[in-house]
PDB file of all heavy atoms in Angstrom:
ATOM      1  N   SER N  17       5.094   8.504   5.769  1.00 85.00           N
ATOM      2  CA  SER N  17       3.853   8.742   6.336  1.00 85.00           C
ATOM      3  C   SER N  17       3.142   7.535   6.954  1.00 85.00           C
ATOM      4  O   SER N  17       1.973   7.318   6.716  1.00 85.00           O
ATOM      5  CB  SER N  17       2.941   9.478   5.261  1.00 85.00           C
ATOM      6  OG  SER N  17       2.770   8.580   4.230  1.00 85.00           O
ATOM      7  N   SER N  18       3.907   6.793   7.611  1.00 89.00           N
ATOM      8  CA  SER N  18       3.572   5.419   8.093  1.00 89.00           C
ATOM      9  C   SER N  18       2.355   5.476   9.134  1.00 89.00           C
ATOM     10  O   SER N  18       2.482   6.101  10.121  1.00 89.00           O
ATOM     11  CB  SER N  18       4.783   4.721   8.653  1.00 89.00           C
ATOM     12  OG  SER N  18       4.338   3.589   9.334  1.00 89.00           O
ATOM     13  N   LYS N  19       1.279   4.634   8.742  1.00 91.00           N
ATOM     14  CA  LYS N  19       0.287   4.494   9.729  1.00 91.00           C
ATOM     15  C   LYS N  19       0.792   3.635  10.918  1.00 91.00           C
ATOM     16  O   LYS N  19       0.345   3.756  12.041  1.00 91.00           O
ATOM     17  CB  LYS N  19      -0.860   3.725   9.049  1.00 91.00           C
ATOM     18  CG  LYS N  19      -1.583   4.543   7.986  1.00 91.00           C
ATOM     19  CD  LYS N  19      -2.830   3.734   7.493  1.00 91.00           C
ATOM     20  CE  LYS N  19      -3.572   4.462   6.329  1.00 91.00           C
ATOM     21  NZ  LYS N  19      -2.703   4.541   5.141  1.00 91.00           N
ATOM     22  N   THR N  20       1.758   2.741  10.622  1.00 94.00           N
ATOM     23  CA  THR N  20       2.294   1.848  11.697  1.00 94.00           C
ATOM     24  C   THR N  20       3.032   2.642  12.687  1.00 94.00           C
ATOM     25  O   THR N  20       2.913   2.399  13.860  1.00 94.00           O
ATOM     26  CB  THR N  20       3.232   0.808  11.042  1.00 94.00           C
ATOM     27  OG1 THR N  20       2.550   0.039   9.975  1.00 94.00           O
ATOM     28  CG2 THR N  20       3.782  -0.179  12.067  1.00 94.00           C
ATOM     29  N   ALA N  21       3.819   3.644  12.246  1.00 94.00           N
ATOM     30  CA  ALA N  21       4.550   4.489  13.198  1.00 94.00           C
ATOM     31  C   ALA N  21       3.625   5.270  14.075  1.00 94.00           C
ATOM     32  O   ALA N  21       3.792   5.474  15.251  1.00 94.00           O
ATOM     33  CB  ALA N  21       5.495   5.407  12.415  1.00 94.00           C
ATOM     34  N   LYS N  22       2.510   5.792  13.420  1.00 93.00           N
ATOM     35  CA  LYS N  22       1.537   6.514  14.207  1.00 93.00           C
ATOM     36  C   LYS N  22       0.822   5.580  15.254  1.00 93.00           C
ATOM     37  O   LYS N  22       0.417   6.030  16.338  1.00 93.00           O
ATOM     38  CB  LYS N  22       0.540   7.158  13.240  1.00 93.00           C
ATOM     39  CG  LYS N  22       1.089   8.331  12.453  1.00 93.00           C
ATOM     40  CD  LYS N  22       0.164   8.946  11.549  1.00 93.00           C
ATOM     41  CE  LYS N  22       0.869  10.131  10.698  1.00 93.00           C
ATOM     42  NZ  LYS N  22      -0.123  10.736   9.777  1.00 93.00           N
ATOM     43  N   PHE N  23       0.514   4.460  14.777  1.00 94.00           N
ATOM     44  CA  PHE N  23      -0.068   3.432  15.678  1.00 94.00           C
ATOM     45  C   PHE N  23       0.871   3.186  16.902  1.00 94.00           C
ATOM     46  O   PHE N  23       0.393   3.056  18.014  1.00 94.00           O
ATOM     47  CB  PHE N  23      -0.291   2.098  14.908  1.00 94.00           C
ATOM     48  CG  PHE N  23      -0.826   0.982  15.684  1.00 94.00           C
ATOM     49  CD1 PHE N  23      -1.809   1.259  16.647  1.00 94.00           C
ATOM     50  CD2 PHE N  23      -0.593  -0.364  15.492  1.00 94.00           C
ATOM     51  CE1 PHE N  23      -2.361   0.265  17.447  1.00 94.00           C
ATOM     52  CE2 PHE N  23      -1.199  -1.325  16.128  1.00 94.00           C
ATOM     53  CZ  PHE N  23      -2.023  -1.075  17.160  1.00 94.00           C
ATOM     54  N   VAL N  24       2.180   3.093  16.741  1.00 96.00           N
ATOM     55  CA  VAL N  24       3.124   2.934  17.743  1.00 96.00           C
ATOM     56  C   VAL N  24       3.048   4.110  18.720  1.00 96.00           C
ATOM     57  O   VAL N  24       3.001   3.954  19.963  1.00 96.00           O
ATOM     58  CB  VAL N  24       4.555   2.698  17.288  1.00 96.00           C
ATOM     59  CG1 VAL N  24       5.550   2.844  18.381  1.00 96.00           C
ATOM     60  CG2 VAL N  24       4.725   1.340  16.563  1.00 96.00           C
ATOM     61  N   GLU N  25       3.027   5.348  18.274  1.00 94.00           N
ATOM     62  CA  GLU N  25       2.919   6.483  19.062  1.00 94.00           C
ATOM     63  C   GLU N  25       1.576   6.490  19.911  1.00 94.00           C
ATOM     64  O   GLU N  25       1.494   6.775  21.000  1.00 94.00           O
ATOM     65  CB  GLU N  25       2.871   7.697  18.203  1.00 94.00           C
ATOM     66  CG  GLU N  25       4.297   7.964  17.530  1.00 94.00           C
ATOM     67  CD  GLU N  25       5.399   8.361  18.567  1.00 94.00           C
ATOM     68  OE1 GLU N  25       5.027   8.642  19.757  1.00 94.00           O
ATOM     69  OE2 GLU N  25       6.607   8.179  18.199  1.00 94.00           O
ATOM     70  N   HIS N  26       0.476   5.984  19.254  1.00 93.00           N
ATOM     71  CA  HIS N  26      -0.788   5.802  19.945  1.00 93.00           C
ATOM     72  C   HIS N  26      -0.658   4.799  21.128  1.00 93.00           C
ATOM     73  O   HIS N  26      -1.123   5.056  22.198  1.00 93.00           O
ATOM     74  CB  HIS N  26      -1.765   5.314  18.864  1.00 93.00           C
ATOM     75  CG  HIS N  26      -3.172   5.056  19.531  1.00 93.00           C
ATOM     76  ND1 HIS N  26      -4.144   6.107  19.698  1.00 93.00           N
ATOM     77  CD2 HIS N  26      -3.779   3.848  19.982  1.00 93.00           C
ATOM     78  CE1 HIS N  26      -5.270   5.463  20.210  1.00 93.00           C
ATOM     79  NE2 HIS N  26      -5.036   4.137  20.446  1.00 93.00           N
ATOM     80  N   VAL N  27       0.036   3.694  20.853  1.00 95.00           N
ATOM     81  CA  VAL N  27       0.293   2.669  21.927  1.00 95.00           C
ATOM     82  C   VAL N  27       1.062   3.244  23.100  1.00 95.00           C
ATOM     83  O   VAL N  27       0.766   3.050  24.278  1.00 95.00           O
ATOM     84  CB  VAL N  27       0.860   1.438  21.276  1.00 95.00           C
ATOM     85  CG1 VAL N  27       1.410   0.493  22.388  1.00 95.00           C
ATOM     86  CG2 VAL N  27      -0.113   0.691  20.399  1.00 95.00           C
ATOM     87  N   HIS N  29       1.360   6.276  23.983  1.00 93.00           N
ATOM     88  CA  HIS N  29       0.541   7.246  24.658  1.00 93.00           C
ATOM     89  C   HIS N  29      -0.470   6.517  25.617  1.00 93.00           C
ATOM     90  O   HIS N  29      -0.612   6.999  26.837  1.00 93.00           O
ATOM     91  CB  HIS N  29      -0.344   8.068  23.728  1.00 93.00           C
ATOM     92  CG  HIS N  29      -1.318   9.031  24.334  1.00 93.00           C
ATOM     93  ND1 HIS N  29      -0.937  10.159  25.041  1.00 93.00           N
ATOM     94  CD2 HIS N  29      -2.644   9.017  24.389  1.00 93.00           C
ATOM     95  CE1 HIS N  29      -1.985  10.771  25.526  1.00 93.00           C
ATOM     96  NE2 HIS N  29      -3.039  10.050  25.132  1.00 93.00           N
ATOM     97  N   LYS N  30      -1.076   5.482  25.110  1.00 92.00           N
ATOM     98  CA  LYS N  30      -2.031   4.720  25.967  1.00 92.00           C
ATOM     99  C   LYS N  30      -1.341   3.965  27.129  1.00 92.00           C
ATOM    100  O   LYS N  30      -1.888   3.783  28.264  1.00 92.00           O
ATOM    101  CB  LYS N  30      -2.687   3.577  25.128  1.00 92.00           C
ATOM    102  CG  LYS N  30      -3.695   4.157  24.135  1.00 92.00           C
ATOM    103  CD  LYS N  30      -4.883   4.842  24.798  1.00 92.00           C
ATOM    104  CE  LYS N  30      -5.962   5.209  23.714  1.00 92.00           C
ATOM    105  NZ  LYS N  30      -7.097   5.950  24.443  1.00 92.00           N
ATOM    106  N   THR N 111      -0.304  -3.603  11.255  1.00 94.00           N
ATOM    107  CA  THR N 111      -1.332  -2.914  10.482  1.00 94.00           C
ATOM    108  C   THR N 111      -1.506  -3.475   9.164  1.00 94.00           C
ATOM    109  O   THR N 111      -0.481  -4.080   8.624  1.00 94.00           O
ATOM    110  CB  THR N 111      -1.146  -1.360  10.371  1.00 94.00           C
ATOM    111  OG1 THR N 111       0.117  -1.227   9.608  1.00 94.00           O
ATOM    112  CG2 THR N 111      -1.039  -0.753  11.714  1.00 94.00           C
ATOM    113  N   LEU N 143      -4.313  -4.542  13.465  1.00 93.00           N
ATOM    114  CA  LEU N 143      -5.172  -3.397  13.275  1.00 93.00           C
ATOM    115  C   LEU N 143      -5.484  -3.090  11.835  1.00 93.00           C
ATOM    116  O   LEU N 143      -4.667  -2.729  11.070  1.00 93.00           O
ATOM    117  CB  LEU N 143      -4.544  -2.108  13.938  1.00 93.00           C
ATOM    118  CG  LEU N 143      -5.328  -0.827  13.775  1.00 93.00           C
ATOM    119  CD1 LEU N 143      -6.608  -0.977  14.521  1.00 93.00           C
ATOM    120  CD2 LEU N 143      -4.544   0.342  14.189  1.00 93.00           C
ATOM    121  N   PRO N 144      -6.728  -3.499  11.394  1.00 92.00           N
ATOM    122  CA  PRO N 144      -7.037  -3.280  10.030  1.00 92.00           C
ATOM    123  C   PRO N 144      -7.212  -1.729   9.710  1.00 92.00           C
ATOM    124  O   PRO N 144      -7.521  -0.914  10.579  1.00 92.00           O
ATOM    125  CB  PRO N 144      -8.461  -3.975   9.888  1.00 92.00           C
ATOM    126  CG  PRO N 144      -8.597  -4.774  11.035  1.00 92.00           C
ATOM    127  CD  PRO N 144      -7.792  -4.148  12.154  1.00 92.00           C
ATOM    128  N   GLU N 145      -6.773  -1.363   8.488  1.00 88.00           N
ATOM    129  CA  GLU N 145      -6.844   0.042   8.145  1.00 88.00           C
ATOM    130  C   GLU N 145      -8.244   0.567   8.198  1.00 88.00           C
ATOM    131  O   GLU N 145      -8.484   1.772   8.438  1.00 88.00           O
ATOM    132  CB  GLU N 145      -6.293   0.212   6.648  1.00 88.00           C
ATOM    133  CG  GLU N 145      -4.699   0.013   6.657  1.00 88.00           C
ATOM    134  CD  GLU N 145      -4.183   0.338   5.300  1.00 88.00           C
ATOM    135  OE1 GLU N 145      -4.962   0.829   4.372  1.00 88.00           O
ATOM    136  OE2 GLU N 145      -2.975   0.037   5.046  1.00 88.00           O
ATOM    137  N   ASP N 147     -10.246   0.259  10.508  1.00 92.00           N
ATOM    138  CA  ASP N 147     -10.571   0.726  11.802  1.00 92.00           C
ATOM    139  C   ASP N 147      -9.760   1.934  12.257  1.00 92.00           C
ATOM    140  O   ASP N 147      -9.696   2.324  13.451  1.00 92.00           O
ATOM    141  CB  ASP N 147     -10.287  -0.435  12.850  1.00 92.00           C
ATOM    142  CG  ASP N 147     -11.243  -1.548  12.755  1.00 92.00           C
ATOM    143  OD1 ASP N 147     -12.351  -1.290  12.301  1.00 92.00           O
ATOM    144  OD2 ASP N 147     -10.805  -2.690  13.096  1.00 92.00           O
ATOM    145  N   ILE N 148      -9.082   2.514  11.282  1.00 89.00           N
ATOM    146  CA  ILE N 148      -8.270   3.684  11.606  1.00 89.00           C
ATOM    147  C   ILE N 148      -8.880   4.959  10.854  1.00 89.00           C
ATOM    148  O   ILE N 148      -9.270   4.905   9.725  1.00 89.00           O
ATOM    149  CB  ILE N 148      -6.821   3.531  10.965  1.00 89.00           C
ATOM    150  CG1 ILE N 148      -6.085   2.342  11.608  1.00 89.00           C
ATOM    151  CG2 ILE N 148      -6.002   4.820  11.220  1.00 89.00           C
ATOM    152  CD1 ILE N 148      -4.780   2.009  10.947  1.00 89.00           C
ATOM    153  N   THR N 149      -8.888   6.004  11.656  1.00 86.00           N
ATOM    154  CA  THR N 149      -9.292   7.304  11.079  1.00 86.00           C
ATOM    155  C   THR N 149      -8.206   8.377  11.467  1.00 86.00           C
ATOM    156  O   THR N 149      -7.494   8.126  12.406  1.00 86.00           O
ATOM    157  CB  THR N 149     -10.684   7.730  11.619  1.00 86.00           C
ATOM    158  OG1 THR N 149     -10.695   7.832  13.018  1.00 86.00           O
ATOM    159  CG2 THR N 149     -11.711   6.874  11.075  1.00 86.00           C
ATOM    160  N   HIS N 150      -8.198   9.498  10.782  1.00 79.00           N
ATOM    161  CA  HIS N 150      -7.254  10.508  11.110  1.00 79.00           C
ATOM    162  C   HIS N 150      -7.987  11.863  11.301  1.00 79.00           C
ATOM    163  O   HIS N 150      -8.943  12.133  10.585  1.00 79.00           O
ATOM    164  CB  HIS N 150      -6.268  10.773   9.968  1.00 79.00           C
ATOM    165  CG  HIS N 150      -5.368   9.544   9.882  1.00 79.00           C
ATOM    166  ND1 HIS N 150      -5.576   8.413   9.092  1.00 79.00           N
ATOM    167  CD2 HIS N 150      -4.078   9.333  10.400  1.00 79.00           C
ATOM    168  CE1 HIS N 150      -4.543   7.598   9.117  1.00 79.00           C
ATOM    169  NE2 HIS N 150      -3.662   8.100   9.914  1.00 79.00           N
ATOM    170  N   ASP N 151      -7.499  12.628  12.260  1.00 78.00           N
ATOM    171  CA  ASP N 151      -8.159  13.878  12.562  1.00 78.00           C
ATOM    172  C   ASP N 151      -6.971  14.873  12.922  1.00 78.00           C
ATOM    173  O   ASP N 151      -6.300  14.717  13.872  1.00 78.00           O
ATOM    174  CB  ASP N 151      -9.099  13.851  13.679  1.00 78.00           C
ATOM    175  CG  ASP N 151      -9.824  15.155  14.087  1.00 78.00           C
ATOM    176  OD1 ASP N 151      -9.749  16.030  13.153  1.00 78.00           O
ATOM    177  OD2 ASP N 151     -10.247  15.294  15.189  1.00 78.00           O
ATOM    178  N   ASN N 152      -6.685  15.870  11.968  1.00 76.00           N
ATOM    179  CA  ASN N 152      -5.633  16.814  12.195  1.00 76.00           C
ATOM    180  C   ASN N 152      -4.330  16.078  12.398  1.00 76.00           C
ATOM    181  O   ASN N 152      -3.496  16.487  13.286  1.00 76.00           O
ATOM    182  CB  ASN N 152      -5.935  17.752  13.350  1.00 76.00           C
ATOM    183  CG  ASN N 152      -7.072  18.604  13.077  1.00 76.00           C
ATOM    184  OD1 ASN N 152      -7.298  19.062  11.901  1.00 76.00           O
ATOM    185  ND2 ASN N 152      -7.916  18.937  14.084  1.00 76.00           N
ATOM    186  N   GLY N 153      -4.063  15.012  11.633  1.00 72.00           N
ATOM    187  CA  GLY N 153      -2.817  14.296  11.760  1.00 72.00           C
ATOM    188  C   GLY N 153      -2.776  13.266  12.911  1.00 72.00           C
ATOM    189  O   GLY N 153      -1.712  12.569  13.020  1.00 72.00           O
ATOM    190  N   GLN N 154      -3.755  13.240  13.643  1.00 80.00           N
ATOM    191  CA  GLN N 154      -3.821  12.286  14.762  1.00 80.00           C
ATOM    192  C   GLN N 154      -4.491  11.035  14.463  1.00 80.00           C
ATOM    193  O   GLN N 154      -5.510  11.040  13.793  1.00 80.00           O
ATOM    194  CB  GLN N 154      -4.487  12.953  16.085  1.00 80.00           C
ATOM    195  CG  GLN N 154      -3.832  14.051  16.570  1.00 80.00           C
ATOM    196  CD  GLN N 154      -2.333  13.778  17.182  1.00 80.00           C
ATOM    197  OE1 GLN N 154      -2.283  12.848  17.868  1.00 80.00           O
ATOM    198  NE2 GLN N 154      -1.447  14.642  16.835  1.00 80.00           N
ATOM    199  N   LEU N 155      -3.962   9.845  14.847  1.00 85.00           N
ATOM    200  CA  LEU N 155      -4.564   8.566  14.539  1.00 85.00           C
ATOM    201  C   LEU N 155      -5.593   8.260  15.560  1.00 85.00           C
ATOM    202  O   LEU N 155      -5.368   8.371  16.783  1.00 85.00           O
ATOM    203  CB  LEU N 155      -3.519   7.500  14.451  1.00 85.00           C
ATOM    204  CG  LEU N 155      -3.947   6.100  14.235  1.00 85.00           C
ATOM    205  CD1 LEU N 155      -2.891   5.324  13.426  1.00 85.00           C
ATOM    206  CD2 LEU N 155      -4.113   5.306  15.517  1.00 85.00           C
ATOM    207  N   HIS N 156      -6.755   7.764  15.092  1.00 88.00           N
ATOM    208  CA  HIS N 156      -7.844   7.441  16.028  1.00 88.00           C
ATOM    209  C   HIS N 156      -8.216   5.927  15.620  1.00 88.00           C
ATOM    210  O   HIS N 156      -8.301   5.553  14.347  1.00 88.00           O
ATOM    211  CB  HIS N 156      -9.055   8.331  15.909  1.00 88.00           C
ATOM    212  CG  HIS N 156      -8.732   9.735  16.382  1.00 88.00           C
ATOM    213  ND1 HIS N 156      -8.673  10.094  17.684  1.00 88.00           N
ATOM    214  CD2 HIS N 156      -8.371  10.836  15.652  1.00 88.00           C
ATOM    215  CE1 HIS N 156      -8.398  11.350  17.814  1.00 88.00           C
ATOM    216  NE2 HIS N 156      -8.183  11.861  16.537  1.00 88.00           N
ATOM    217  N   ILE N 157      -8.616   5.166  16.520  1.00 92.00           N
ATOM    218  CA  ILE N 157      -9.011   3.739  16.354  1.00 92.00           C
ATOM    219  C   ILE N 157     -10.517   3.569  16.677  1.00 92.00           C
ATOM    220  O   ILE N 157     -10.948   4.134  17.803  1.00 92.00           O
ATOM    221  CB  ILE N 157      -8.139   2.744  17.243  1.00 92.00           C
ATOM    222  CG1 ILE N 157      -6.677   2.952  16.704  1.00 92.00           C
ATOM    223  CG2 ILE N 157      -8.633   1.354  16.904  1.00 92.00           C
ATOM    224  CD1 ILE N 157      -5.729   2.082  17.563  1.00 92.00           C
ATOM    225  N   LYS N 158     -11.212   2.886  15.979  1.00 92.00           N
ATOM    226  CA  LYS N 158     -12.622   2.687  16.239  1.00 92.00           C
ATOM    227  C   LYS N 158     -12.775   1.992  17.605  1.00 92.00           C
ATOM    228  O   LYS N 158     -11.948   1.211  18.074  1.00 92.00           O
ATOM    229  CB  LYS N 158     -13.305   1.713  15.179  1.00 92.00           C
ATOM    230  CG  LYS N 158     -13.507   2.378  13.848  1.00 92.00           C
ATOM    231  CD  LYS N 158     -14.246   1.484  12.872  1.00 92.00           C
ATOM    232  CE  LYS N 158     -14.507   2.192  11.507  1.00 92.00           C
ATOM    233  NZ  LYS N 158     -15.114   1.286  10.561  1.00 92.00           N
ATOM    234  N   ASN N 162     -10.346  -0.614  19.542  1.00 91.00           N
ATOM    235  CA  ASN N 162      -9.623  -0.061  20.552  1.00 91.00           C
ATOM    236  C   ASN N 162      -9.801  -0.875  21.884  1.00 91.00           C
ATOM    237  O   ASN N 162      -8.836  -1.031  22.684  1.00 91.00           O
ATOM    238  CB  ASN N 162      -9.968   1.405  20.864  1.00 91.00           C
ATOM    239  CG  ASN N 162      -8.952   2.144  21.676  1.00 91.00           C
ATOM    240  OD1 ASN N 162      -7.717   2.284  21.368  1.00 91.00           O
ATOM    241  ND2 ASN N 162      -9.338   2.616  22.873  1.00 91.00           N
ATOM    242  N   LEU N 165      -7.500  -3.654  21.727  1.00 94.00           N
ATOM    243  CA  LEU N 165      -6.154  -3.228  21.881  1.00 94.00           C
ATOM    244  C   LEU N 165      -5.836  -3.001  23.274  1.00 94.00           C
ATOM    245  O   LEU N 165      -4.750  -3.424  23.869  1.00 94.00           O
ATOM    246  CB  LEU N 165      -5.975  -1.925  21.067  1.00 94.00           C
ATOM    247  CG  LEU N 165      -4.618  -1.170  21.387  1.00 94.00           C
ATOM    248  CD1 LEU N 165      -3.402  -1.995  20.872  1.00 94.00           C
ATOM    249  CD2 LEU N 165      -4.570   0.186  20.614  1.00 94.00           C
TER     250      LEU N 165
END
Side-chain angles (χ1 to χ4, degrees):
S17 57
S18 168
K19 296 183 181 70
T20 303
K22 291 180 180 178
F23 180 33
V24 167
E25 294 293 343
H26 177 84
V27 167
H29 175 72
K30 290 293 185 182
T111 58
L143 178 64
E145 291 185 8
D147 288 337
I148 301 174
T149 58
H150 292 87
D151 180 20
N152 295 324
Q154 296 296 314
L155 180 143
H156 298 277
I157 300 175
K158 287 185 179 179
N162 194 62
L165 172 63

